[in-house]
Amino acid sequence: MANSPLVSFTKLSSNHSGRRTCSISRINPHAVVGQLSVERICDCFKDRSRQASCNYCIGADGRIGLCVDEQNRS
């Protein structure tokens, strides 16, 4: 599994549930309240106490960030 070539910023989070065992079957977009940059969104998911993550994020300026590698489940 390869990460998207559209990513312009990467800050990997350890908040994931390990390697994928199945192929991706759906995409679940979630909203982030606020006008945040990809750097700030990825920072939010770095915090272990949040117990949350995402594979990709889109900042207020439209840039795409990678928070969890595709090979792992967010």
Side-chain angles (χ1 to χ4, degrees), residues 17 21 24 29 34-35 40 43 49 51 55-56 58 60-61 63 65 70-71 74:
S17 59
T21 56
I24 297 170
Q35 296 293 313
R40 184 64 189 110
D43 281 344
S49 67
Q51 298 181 350
N55 289 96
Y56 297 100
I58 301 173
D61 63 358
R63 292 182 326 150
E70 273 292 315
Q71 67 190 8
S74 60

Side-chain angles (χ1 to χ4, degrees), residues 6-26:
L6 301 174
V7 170
S8 63
F9 178 79
T10 300
K11 184 179 247 183
L12 296 177
S13 170
S14 57
N15 289 340
H16 60 78
S17 59
R19 286 242 193 253
R20 290 187 187 280
T21 56
C22 301
S23 61
I24 297 170
S25 60
R26 68 180 86 74

Side-chain angles (χ1 to χ4, degrees), residues 1-13 15-16 20 24 26-32 37-45 52-59 62-74:
M1 232 166 260
N3 295 324
S4 173
L6 301 174
V7 170
S8 63
F9 178 79
T10 300
K11 184 179 247 183
L12 296 177
S13 170
N15 289 340
H16 60 78
R20 290 187 187 280
I24 297 170
R26 68 180 86 74
I27 297 171
N28 294 323
H30 301 285
V32 175
S37 66
V38 291
E39 292 86 357
R40 184 64 189 110
I41 297 170
C42 287
D43 281 344
C44 290
F45 293 120
S53 64
C54 65
N55 289 96
Y56 297 100
C57 61
I58 301 173
R63 292 182 326 150
I64 298 173
L66 175 68
C67 301
V68 172
D69 277 323
E70 273 292 315
Q71 67 190 8
N72 294 322
R73 294 175 55 224
S74 60

